[in-house]
Amino acid sequence: MGQTTKYIATPTKAYEDAKATKEVGFFTRGAHLSNLIKVNKTLLKAEVDYSTPLYIIDVQNVKNNLNSADEVEESPAPVIDADDYYGSPHLFTTVAGLKMREYPNSTSNVITVLLNGTAVPIDYYPYDSEAWVAVTYNDLKGYIPVKYTGKRPIMNQLITAYKKATTVEDQKKYAERILELGWNGTDQEAIQGLTTYVDYAQKNNLTEILSLTKLQIDVLKAVPIDQFDKIAKMKNKKLFGFTLNSEVEPRNGFSLATLEKNLGKVKDSYANLDDCGLGDYESNVIFYTAECIGHDVARTYMLRKLDIINGAGFKINNTIVSDQTTEKEFLQIGKGYITSILNNQYAYMIAVGDDAYKFTFVNGKLSHVELIYFC
């Protein structure tokens, strides 16, 4: 069968030996298997990355493709086939700050860190509690310990455990799990998580964390429902938008001369046909610290991505935020405009109609602003 990709049509048992005497896990529906060896009519050997070979005796479950007519059984617990969080077989992380690694061991490179309650799709679930499971997250592939996965944690149960905690170590553990689960939920769940974290910070005199967390609660309570007209009026008055040396970007964009004066020469330009931010006769124009959308006929340039350095900034109402703006200062300035918090990215979003501005912080200072077009 070689390198031809096959698919698992329904949850299928996996064995560690060719005689199928010991079941060690199962493949989920939709699992991709590209290294299959046909041992005989009733036995397949699956070569799995960083694992000993696995054997499948339910060969009828291995298909060339999937379709709606397949007979599909429910996955054994704790794998969830589909719910409000994810539409295919997945697990949830059950601890705070779980490191997703490049290889299935605790010393390999960390690819990303997963918040508590993150849905992670899987192809194979091992029964060994000390095993690692291959997962994907935001198009990244890596490994996490299977013992830190399961059903989605329940906020109220974690809050009860936090209130019963008698040591600072346990308080911290549950407070972090509650906070991260909140970030993985609705704004109301985030407020609930932040409120618990405020309690933890107060009890342990964490003054910096306390003040930032309180500001985040205030921002979430003040999230605007619809601010398109409000932002449009601010733009007309040059009170909202990218700035270069305090000059707000004109409605039709900066001239090339102004951009080159502030950003240097153009590094590259191209037209990406799959980019929904581009219209007719428009192209991406790249500088070393910025990206613009350039109109090839009108010769105007609208900023799209901007590193906040060397006089670059962003104006919100009467205030220009810059590379000296702290996260706490931004929260005070942006309250009533900020529409969501991307806490695991140290970023905040201000939505404007179908688009949004993303403000990213590094080491507590504003570092980058990007206009994101949602297609």
Side-chain angles (χ1 to χ4, degrees), residues 187-206:
D187 282 351
Q188 289 305 310
E189 289 172 325
I191 291 172
Q192 198 175 8
L194 286 163
T195 301
T196 301
Y197 211 71
V198 163
D199 182 75
Y200 165 72
Q202 286 175 329
K203 286 178 178 177
N204 294 281
N205 298 316
L206 304 173

Side-chain angles (χ1 to χ4, degrees), residues 238-250 254 258-259 262-263 290 303 306-323 357 359 366 369:
K238 292 192 174 182
L239 296 177
F240 188 91
F242 290 105
T243 64
L244 294 175
N245 286 319
S246 300
E247 180 185 353
V248 179
E249 181 179 59
F254 285 110
T258 299
L259 291 175
N262 289 276
L263 304 173
L303 282 165
L306 184 64
D307 292 341
I308 306 302
I309 57 174
N310 301 328
F314 198 97
K315 193 168 189 177
I316 302 174
N317 206 350
N318 287 309
T319 304
I320 293 178
V321 293
S322 68
D323 58 352
Y357 291 88
F359 299 79
L366 183 62
V369 180

Side-chain angles (χ1 to χ4, degrees), residues 82-281:
D83 57 17
D84 292 339
Y85 300 94
Y86 205 83
S88 61
H90 62 282
L91 299 166
F92 290 96
T93 59
T94 57
V95 296
L98 182 60
K99 297 179 177 65
M100 187 171 92
R101 297 186 181 273
E102 185 177 3
Y103 304 110
N105 63 65
S106 59
T107 59
S108 65
N109 293 333
V110 176
I111 297 174
T112 190
V113 177
L114 305 177
L115 299 181
N116 185 32
T118 299
V120 282
I122 65 167
D123 279 352
Y124 172 73
Y125 181 81
Y127 293 148
D128 181 0
S129 62
E130 296 302 315
W132 291 67
V133 60
V135 299
T136 57
Y137 175 73
N138 283 351
D139 296 325
L140 299 172
K141 295 183 179 180
Y143 296 84
I144 58 176
V146 72
K147 62 184 174 183
Y148 299 135
T149 66
K151 293 183 178 180
R152 189 175 192 271
I154 298 172
M155 178 71 80
N156 289 338
Q157 291 180 357
L158 289 177
I159 291 175
T160 298
Y162 167 77
K163 290 178 178 179
K164 291 181 178 179
T166 57
T167 66
V168 173
E169 182 180 3
D170 280 347
Q171 286 177 356
K172 181 176 186 291
K173 176 179 71 176
Y174 288 115
E176 288 178 345
R177 291 183 184 183
I178 291 164
L179 179 64
E180 291 190 6
L181 187 62
W183 290 129
N184 258 330
T186 64
D187 282 351
Q188 289 305 310
E189 289 172 325
I191 291 172
Q192 198 175 8
L194 286 163
T195 301
T196 301
Y197 211 71
V198 163
D199 182 75
Y200 165 72
Q202 286 175 329
K203 286 178 178 177
N204 294 281
N205 298 316
L206 304 173
T207 54
E208 284 298 311
I209 291 174
L210 179 62
S211 58
L212 178 63
T213 304
K214 284 183 174 180
L215 283 169
Q216 289 178 326
I217 291 174
D218 290 342
V219 163
L220 287 177
K221 287 182 176 180
V223 168
I225 297 174
D226 183 5
Q227 60 181 354
F228 182 83
D229 291 338
K230 181 169 64 174
I231 296 292
K233 290 177 182 178
M234 290 171 62
K235 284 186 174 182
N236 286 335
K237 297 178 180 179
K238 292 192 174 182
L239 296 177
F240 188 91
F242 290 105
T243 64
L244 294 175
N245 286 319
S246 300
E247 180 185 353
V248 179
E249 181 179 59
R251 173 167 290 278
N252 294 324
F254 285 110
S255 68
L256 182 59
T258 299
L259 291 175
E260 289 185 334
K261 178 182 177 181
N262 289 276
L263 304 173
K265 296 294 184 181
V266 173
K267 179 183 176 183
D268 194 11
S269 63
Y270 57 89
N272 182 353
L273 298 178
D274 294 326
D275 188 342
C276 65
L278 299 183
D280 293 337
Y281 307 107

